Amino acid sequence: MERFVLTDAQWAKMEPHCLGKPADPGRSGGDNRRFIEALLW
């Protein structure tokens, strides 16, 4: 069971503005949603 602070609709609006994607080299785009959720938590 995953619990999120952000709803899927809120995340859909924020996701295009996050830097890095899972396909980019390096660690910057591993899981942007998890990172934002951690900041909000």
Side-chain angles (χ1 to χ4, degrees):
M1 178 175 94
E2 299 224 15
R3 294 172 36 178
F4 296 114
V5 175
L6 294 171
T7 65
D8 289 337
Q10 290 170 322
W11 176 244
K13 290 179 182 179
M14 290 182 66
E15 186 175 18
H17 303 290
C18 292
L19 299 176
K21 296 178 288 309
D24 288 346
R27 294 277 302 148
S28 65
D31 189 346
N32 287 328
R33 185 172 185 167
R34 180 179 280 174
F35 177 76
I36 298 296
E37 292 281 345
L39 290 176
L40 295 173
W41 187 79

